[in-house]
Amino acid sequence: MEEINRAAWQSKANVKWFARLEGWTDPGEEAAFESIAAEVRGQPILDLGVGAGRTLPLLRKLSVDYTAIDYTPALVAECRKKYPDARVLSGDARDLSRFGAETFKLVVFSFNGIDAINPEDRRKVLGEVHRVLQSGGLFWFSAHNKEGPGHAEPFRLGIDKTRNPAKLLMRTLRALKDAPRAAHNHRRYSRLNEEQDGYSIMNAAAHTHGLLIH
Ligand SMILES: C[S@@+](CC[C@H](N)C(=O)[O-])C[C@H]1O[C@@H](n2cnc3c(N)ncnc32)[C@H](O)[C@@H]1O
């Protein structure tokens, strides 16, 4: 999982894709944010797996005491380029030893980022998050689940929705160009799918079928 997912995050196409992302992923993410905003306003925030910084302006509206980390150098560089005044560090969510116990009021791992971490290391992340959170602090993350649409996705070409016909055409052409790679990834990585007690590891359609997710 580690090797496959790291390769996906750092691919040029994905760095470009993350760099373009802005705003909420969906109304559910925004609603979750609204439900915790008052409780964490003005308090220290740690944003794990920040990528190219989609969540950065959203969270800095809540607090200027904001720190982000990511373990993909190309995404950290992109994030720093977009937000040169922000505290964006290169680091791994499995080892938060640079931060003291009970430092943050809010820890975030958005956009199902935690699902790309293998089950054993996922427990390490949860342990570290617990350690750096203040008593009564909040961990805000999203994750796939076995009843959700992301479970056991069949092969598909990822074409992001848009109402702009020119953009739709471009995206369709790009997806067709990427189709052989997506098919190759799907064939190779689906062999690694496994069903366990209470969870699965599956190849996801995102990023040209380039991820194995929890
Ligand atoms: C789905 S992307 C989300 C990026 C960003 N949070 C967003 O919402 O646009 C997941 C991110 O988590 C990062 N990531 C995955 N595992 C990580 C780990 N163990 N430590 C730090 N970052 C990690 C990846 O590099 C990637 O940037």
Side-chain angles (χ1 to χ4, degrees):
M1 260 180 104
E2 179 66 17
E3 210 176 296
I4 292 166
N5 294 337
R6 270 203 194 237
W9 302 134
Q10 69 195 20
S11 82
K12 260 193 190 155
N14 287 339
V15 171
K16 250 171 102 179
W17 187 81
F18 279 114
R20 279 199 307 265
L21 282 188
E22 281 180 2
W24 306 110
T25 53
D26 55 63
E29 187 184 52
E30 185 173 11
F33 174 86
E34 294 300 340
S35 76
I36 60 170
E39 201 177 334
V40 303
R41 199 176 300 282
Q43 311 225 42
I45 297 176
L46 176 63
D47 194 357
L48 301 174
V50 68
R54 180 186 65 85
T55 48
L56 195 152
L58 303 170
L59 291 167
R60 276 208 306 187
K61 265 191 223 151
L62 278 186
S63 176
V64 291
D65 190 344
Y66 171 90
T67 305
I69 75 165
D70 201 289
Y71 77 167
T72 305
L75 288 168
V76 170
E78 198 59 48
C79 189
R80 287 180 177 154
K81 195 164 89 189
K82 281 175 89 173
Y83 304 102
D85 60 331
R87 187 169 185 232
V88 180
L89 310 174
S90 202
D92 195 313
R94 289 167 282 211
D95 175 12
L96 302 177
S97 54
R98 72 203 322 164
F99 305 114
E102 305 204 16
T103 303
F104 300 98
K105 174 70 181 182
L106 175 69
V107 178
V108 179
F109 211 149
S110 65
F111 214 170
N112 312 315
I114 196 169
D115 287 347
I117 298 175
N118 68 64
E120 193 184 318
D121 288 350
R122 185 183 178 97
R123 282 189 279 276
K124 271 192 206 158
V125 173
L126 293 173
E128 279 293 79
V129 169
H130 185 253
R131 186 183 64 76
V132 301
L133 273 176
Q134 298 168 5
S135 159
L138 299 174
F139 182 34
W140 173 29
F141 67 101
S142 54
H144 292 84
N145 69 79
K146 292 178 81 168
E147 274 79 51
H151 180 61
E153 274 176 319
F155 177 76
R156 68 173 168 83
L157 299 179
I159 304 172
D160 291 341
K161 284 183 200 149
T162 171
R163 292 202 176 125
N164 179 327
K167 272 193 184 163
L168 185 63
L169 177 65
M170 288 306 294
R171 288 177 189 179
T172 307
L173 291 175
R174 200 177 310 129
L176 288 173
K177 184 170 128 304
D178 289 343
R181 188 154 48 92
H184 176 68
N185 286 344
H186 182 246
R187 240 188 344 267
R188 246 182 354 158
Y189 299 153
S190 295
R191 281 192 222 128
L192 302 171
N193 288 355
E194 51 178 285
E195 285 290 340
Q196 295 289 348
D197 188 18
Y199 70 91
S200 323
I201 304 296
M202 310 290 291
N203 176 231
H207 308 296
T208 52
H209 279 275
L211 293 176
L212 261 190
I213 59 159
H214 188 287

